[in-house]
Amino acid sequence: MMMIADILLVAGALGAGLYCFVLSRRLRRFTDLEKGVGGAVAVLSAQVDDLTKTLNQAQMTAKTSVGTLDEVSTRAEAAGQRLELLVASLHDLPDPVTRQTSDSPFFVRRPAGPKGHQ
């Protein structure tokens, strides 16, 4: 009976050793930097770094655009106020007097000649 227990114990140890060997090979492939999850994590980490740089550049561009837009908006509001003031001052001017060219001493009317020769 002791001999059967020893054989079963050795068989169990060999089975556990074989299981550990297979498991270590799978784990090595799993964490391989080229093909496994390690490679995927490395690629994702590089992409996160690139996206962070891109986001920082976009934020800087947005800040610059906001500053420029604020400046242009301020200038447009000032120009609009000046235009309103000019339009309001035009209402205060008297109506222009219309002069006829015949009343002017500088214009002389000639009789109309044949078409195309005036």
Side-chain angles (χ1 to χ4, degrees), residues 22-42:
V22 170
L23 199 60
S24 87
R25 286 186 58 152
R26 285 185 180 177
L27 186 61
R28 198 173 309 134
R29 275 189 281 150
F30 185 69
T31 58
D32 184 24
L33 288 178
E34 293 295 322
K35 299 177 185 174
V37 173
V41 169

Side-chain angles (χ1 to χ4, degrees), residues 41-59:
V41 169
V43 168
L44 288 175
S45 176
Q47 287 178 347
V48 166
D49 290 341
D50 291 343
L51 287 175
T52 302
K53 289 177 187 176
T54 304
L55 180 62
N56 288 338
Q57 289 175 349
Q59 286 175 340

